[in-house]
Every structure is written in structure tokens, then in C-alpha cells.
Amino acid sequence: MGSNPVSPTDPRSTAPVYDHEAIEARWQRVWEEKRLFEAGRRPGAPKFYALEMFPYPSGAMHMGHARVYAIGDVIARFARMRGKDVLHPMGYDALGLPAENAAIKDGIHPAIRTRDNIASFREEMKSMGFSFDWTRELATSDPSYYRWNQWFFVKMLERDLVYRRQGWVNWCPSCLTVLANEQVEDGVCWRGHPGVTRKPIGEWAFRITRYAEELLADLDRLGEWPERITSMQRNWIGKSEGAEIDFALEGRPEKLRVYTTRLDTIYGCTFVVLAPEHPLALSLASPAKRDAIAAFAKRMLEAGEVARTAEGAPKEGLDTGARALNPFTGKSVPVWVASFVLGEYGTGAVMSVPAHDQRDFEFAKKHGLPIEVAIQPAVGERLEAAALAEASTGDGVCAGGLAAGKSSAEARALLTAHAEQRGFGKAKVNYHLRDWGFSRQRYWGTPIPIVYCERCGSKESPKAVPVPVEQLPVLLPDEAVLEGKGEPPLAKIPSFMQTVCPVCGGPARREPETMDTFVDSCWYFARFLSPRDEARPFDPEAAKRWLPIDVYIGGPEHAVLHLLYFRFWTKVMADLGLLEAREPARRLITQGIVLGPDGEKMSKSRGNVVSPRAYVERFGADTARLFVLFAGPVERDYAWNDAQVEGLHRFLTRVWRLFFRFRGEVGAGAPTAREGRPLALRQSSHRTLAKVTADLERNHFNTAIAALMEHVNAISAWVGEEGVLEGDADRAALREAFEILAVGLSPFAPHVAEELWLELGHAQCLQESTWPAHDPALAASDTLKYAVQVNGKLRGEVEAAATAAEAEVVALAKAEPKVAPHLEGKTLRKTVFVPKRLVNFVVG
Ligand code: ANZ
Ligand code: ZN
């Protein structure tokens, strides 16, 4: 078999055995030695930035990682072969809670655990043959990274984009500590203590709301983001257009301002409701009710917004005893406090219209408050308040008042204008988006670069002084007291806490809080541009070339946190003059998850976790990659399936055997034959190339792989059992078939592909080669199906060569056995021929 001389020490001497281990190790070494994956190798070429969401380095890589990086790798490899200068970096989202929680349990320092986890992640990713530019690897736990988080903090503080506010946290009264949401389940802390409550606490927040409108408007320009993600962001930002209206209070000088999106319903307002925590609630309440309202407010704040606004949550409330005057009618209505009105949205006060708002309706029914219809449906039966079974929430026609007879939309405009004219109201836009509270009472995070100085402030309220940027980083101390109890960990380390004030030089205390790790992932994509930069977060010139990211890939679970925060941060970086782009990523791909073999989400507790490592060892990276890419479309979830993995391994083995059976016989010349025996094989080759190329352009990887499988079948069938090649034209066609197979496989199963390519006599790696163009004539489907009709009625079908002339097709159609009887003995009046589609005989 084969005529190439093979020395006994050459690994190729074992060629007929598909030794994935040797092949994969070899190509990974070659790629690295040739530095093929380093960005900037083709300075004049168009750039292409492919990025996968970087991993949190937990114990080991899991299938979800394997899938997302395999997707990114196919895209990066294809782009390189299309002549792009590709940036495809990898790093670690290395700070965060899991390492700290684990440390509390087993005492292993988060830094050590993280270092070890990164080492094993790196090794596993390398074993998969992912084409990362490893020279740019970074970890967010490295002070050379997080110092720039601190730098951004200071710059944003200067621009009033950072501020201190009152926030709410989960509090465990037994541990005397603040807990993250994921550490609390049903009011029980992760260490088993019941009675977790919410507690007010000072926190740092980013003023993301300043960008609400831009974040919303730019969603329309993100043409290549999944609609599902942009609509989740749109809802999350929650733009609301309405009006603020002032109600006078009986016997008091203050006004009560409400926010409404339905000013058209004002004539049906029968009471006003305040959030229990509204600043006026207590002072409005009659003395007898004050204690009850204070207790109610405390209970509501502890319950939290989610519980209060949940559908079906009880509509609790209390009458304050005060009364407000509807500015449109002068009518006096009672003022209540209620669970479902939130202090932090709008004005914290609502004009209640139970006939047209469901929450108000339920509240009115429960507390015996009146219901009055203000809007009649444009068509259909008149509404009667007494007969309502639920609120009628749609727009309609105003039943009375200034806008009587007008549509709801007209009425809103008219009544708002009236309120503006009279000075008791105005149009107002609100957003549901809240500022981002990002300080955490944790150790394993970026220290917030603030010191508190009593001399610059006062003993009662020490001034928060930012650490000057020249003094950054504020290093996270190695010493860590991790007990999961009491004060934040950094507060327990005197050597960290005690410092001097950068303004007055007096003694000062450091901020013991650290940053949310979502800060780290806001801008890592930019750090990859100059990851060793000591002078600035990243090189703005490099940013000009590389940003925005061309394809960003990650899980859809990040729809509204990470993916919104990193858009926000990009806009801030642009406003700081660091960037031109105002959006981080042109295109977003959200991949489905790989479920366990039982079809359930993989989890340790279910015992259905499949780790890539074992499969890479047993079947090789190429098989593992093919599995995660072949099992279904990119966005779809699917379950791990051992049988399919084995099937894919058999496929690669088959490719291997087929190739080596003919390795010595494939010709050297380029094929030219367009007829005879070679034609069928050449057509399969070019059709496959056309299909794989088109599928790669659309990220339809599973169908591309299926086309390659068909091509292998076609090669097999063509060579036949005997495997006899007749002459140079056959040999050249076979070479072409294998070359196209190698090229087509190369983004998916790159190690096998490179091996075939080398064996075909190429000196350059596939990753250095150019993706070939298919020959359209050979790729064209060579036969066409024509429908044959007689007097417009379908009678049969014929298949004709794509190149066949009209006369030829018509002749075939006439001869078709199912058609001929309908023509017999009739006069053919007309023949209608629609190219590529149909023949219709009109007979009489
Ligand atoms: C009167 C009214 C009548 C309302 C009606 C709705 C329907 P979005 O779209 O979410 O902005 N609201 C205002 N502030 C609130 C707060 N702090 N907590 C709870 N609810 C509040 O919703 C705006 C509507 O939600 C406002 O319009 C107000 O109720 C209520 F037939 O005013 B509406
Ligand atoms: Zn000071």
C-alpha cells in the first residue's frame, strides 16, 4: 500500500492505525512552534476578533466550555483560512465567590486554588487543540489586571458615575455576615442557619442609568445579536413613558407626586397609594397608625421587591388617614400605603384606578375601596363598575372629563399638556433599569480604592477619599481571614486597613469592600489588545484596529447582566476617550447547553456530569470536538450521547483508513477532467466544498459535518471495493477529493485534517493556507426535476440534465409513462416551458 518511503521511526509508519494521541500532540506542537495563532501575523489583512466568554476557572473544564470554545475555534480557524488577521484570545475570570466559599470549608487559599485550577484549565484547553493566542493569556486575579478596575473606578468617580448609596443585602443573624443571593435558599443560609433577612447597608453603585437611553437605542443597531437577547435587554431597561402629576394634600402644604403611564384614566382614580417606605408615609399617617405603618414598611423592605411584586402576592395595605385632591376634579380621595408600590420606582406613589389596573382592582376589592370606570371600550359593551370581574386594562375612549370622547392616546397627550399648562404635572420618562450596586463584602475580589479619613471629613462621617491613580494598585493582601462570619474579611486585616490619607497624610482606614466580579468581565475584551500594558488599561491604537469584537460567543444566561454591563462599560470607555467603538460586539452567538446523558442539566448532585477530559483521552480531541459541533445547531440544547461519540470516532477512523489506502496513488497534478469517470467524484468534491463553505458562513456546523460525511461515502463508492484507479485523471480527481475533505474537516477536526494535508504533500499547515473556492459548474446540481402538467394538472415528473435544452426536456416529458396516456389522441395546442421547473402541455 502506498509508495511513499516511510522510515521505521517516522510516526507515519503507524499511519493505518488512527493514533489520535500521537497525531494531536504532534499538531499542537507544530502550531505552537509556528506561532500560527498569534494575532497580528497579517498586519495588512482585514482583522477578525473572535472571543468566547472567558471561563471562571472552577475545578475542571466541563462540556459547556468544550462546546463554546469549539464553536469559537471553528469560527477563528475558518476566518484565518479566509485570509483574516485573527485575534482569538483566552483568559480567566478568576476572582469570585466559589473559590472563597471553598476556602472557608477547606482552608485552601483562593489564590492557590485559582492558580491550580487555571493550570488544569489551560492544559485541558490545549489538549482540545483550540487555536488561542496564548501569548495574550490573562487572569483577572492578577494585580496587573485588577489595578485597572481600580483605575476605572477612580475615573468614573471623577465623572460622578460612581456613588455611595443605601442598598439592601441578605443578612444571616447567626453568621453575622452578608450573603450573596446564591448563598441563601428559602431564608436559610448556606451553612444551615434559618432566619436570613434583608438588611440595609451602604454600598457603591455605578450610575448605569445615565446610559439607559443609549443602551436602549443602540440595541436597534446590534443587527447581529439574537432577538431574544436584545428583547430581554429592552425589557430589563424598561423604558416607560408617562406623566408626573401633583396631588394636593388636605390640610398640608406638601404635594404628593405620582407617576402614571395612564393619565387618560385619571377620572377613575379613587385613591392614592404610597410605597410603605415613601418619605411622606409616616408623617401623613394619623398618630394612631404610625407604629403600624412603620412596622409594615420595615417588613416590606425586608421582604424585598421581588416578593412584593410577584404575581399573586397578597395586596397588603393600610389607610394612612390622610386625603389627597385629584388636580383635575378637585375630588378628595384617601391615601393608602400598599405592598406592591415600590419606593424606588417613579415617585414611589401611584394614582390608583381600580377599574383599569389589575393590582389596584384587587386592592380595592380586598379593602372595600370604590371602583369607577373612566375608559369605555372603543367597541362592544359598556362597562359598569359594579359588574367588573377584573380590571379592564386596554386603551379605549374617555368616558368623561376634559378629554371626554377622545381616544386614550389622545387623552394622555391632552391631559398632560393641560397639567403642564396649569403647573401641576409634566410628561416624564422612567426606566426600570437601576444603578448597579457593585460593592461586595468579600475577600476574593478587587479592593475598592477608597480610604476613609476623619480629618478630611469628621469623626462621625469620615470622608471617602479615592486613592490617586499613581498609587494603584491597592493590593489584595495575601493574608486572608476567611471564616464566613462577621465583618468583611478585609476588615479583619489591620495591616491592610490601616493606611494614610492621600490628601492630608493623616491616619486613615481602607474600604474593606471589594468589587463585584462583573466589573472584571466588563472590559477584559479590551485588555486582550495589550495585556502586558503597564501604562494604561489597553492600547487605544490597538483598540482602533481590533474593536469591536467581530463574534462574541457565550451562554444566553448572561443576557441581562454581563451583556448589559459590558455594553455600558464600552460606552464609558468611549467617553473616557479610550475607544471609538460605542458597542463592544458586532455579533453575538449564544450557544445551547450540553445536557447530561439523561437529558438533564449536568450537575454534580445529579451525578450526570460528563467531563471532556475522559473523552479526549479515549477518543481524541477531534472526536470530542466533532461531537459538540455535530449534535445539533449552535443555539440548541442537546444531551451527551456516548453512542454518537463512538460513531464520530468511527467516522474519523474511516476517513483515516480510506485515505491511507490510497495515499500512494493519489496523483500529483491538478484535476482537469470534466467528463468520464472522474466527473462524479469531482462533482461530489465541489458540492461538498460549496456546502461546507456556505454552512461555515452561517455557523451551521452540524450540517457542514454531515456534508463531509456524505463526501466520504461518495469517495468510498467511487473507488469501489476494488479500489482500482484508471489513469491520471482518476488519480487527480481522488487527490482533489481528499484535499477538499481535509480542508473541510480542518475547522472541526483540525488534527486529522492537518495530517491528511501533510500526507498530500503540502509544506504549509492548513491554518497557513487559503480556503479554496469551489468550481460553480462542478458544484451545480447536475440534474433538475421538472413537473409535467397536462392542462395545468400535475401528471408526472421528469429528471433532466441541468444543461439540457428545452427541446430535450419537452421530449422527455412527452415520453414519461404517466404523462403519455393523457396526450394520446389529443391535439397539442401549446407547450409552456418554465426553465428549471415545469412543462405544461395544453391539449384540446
Ligand atoms: C395609574 C394607572 C392606571 C396605571 C391604569 C396603570 C394603569 P410601568 O409601565 O412599569 O412604568 N406605578 C407607578 N409607580 C409605581 C411604583 N413605584 N410601584 C408600583 N407601581 C407603580 O408602569 C407604570 C404604572 O405603574 C403607573 O401607571 C402606575 O400605575 C404604576 F389603568 O397609574 B399607573
Ligand atoms: Zn484626610
Side-chain angles (χ1 to χ4, degrees), residues 238-243 258-266 269 273 275 308-309 339-360 375 391-394 430-432 434:
K239 183 174 183 175
S240 161
E241 289 170 270
V258 304
Y259 172 67
T260 179
T261 48
R262 293 293 308 274
L263 191 54
D264 55 314
T265 66
I266 182 95
C269 169
V273 192
R308 283 165 67 178
T309 54
S339 53
F340 60 88
V341 177
L342 303 174
E344 282 188 33
Y345 184 64
T347 61
V350 174
M351 57 175 236
S352 288
V353 188
H356 304 296
D357 180 279
Q358 187 58 24
R359 291 172 306 180
D360 295 348
I375 302 292
S392 161
T393 56
N430 275 317
Y431 297 89
H432 284 273
R434 303 292 169 79

Side-chain angles (χ1 to χ4, degrees), residues 397-406:
V397 177
C398 276
L402 276 179
K406 297 255 192 293

Side-chain angles (χ1 to χ4, degrees), residues 306-316 358-359 362 366:
V306 180
R308 283 165 67 178
T309 54
E311 215 179 320
K315 304 282 176 293
E316 293 184 69
Q358 187 58 24
R359 291 172 306 180
E362 287 167 28
K366 179 163 176 178

Side-chain angles (χ1 to χ4, degrees), residues 2 47-48 64 73 166 219 314 423 559 745 784 828 842:
K47 69 93 182 181
F48 190 85
D73 200 51
Q166 169 100 324
L219 285 174
L745 276 176
L784 292 170
L828 184 60
V842 183

Side-chain angles (χ1 to χ4, degrees), residues 451-457 463 465 500-508:
V451 303
Y452 292 98
C453 174
E454 290 178 6
R455 270 172 48 192
C456 291
K463 185 167 189 218
V465 181
V500 289
C501 169
V503 175
C504 69

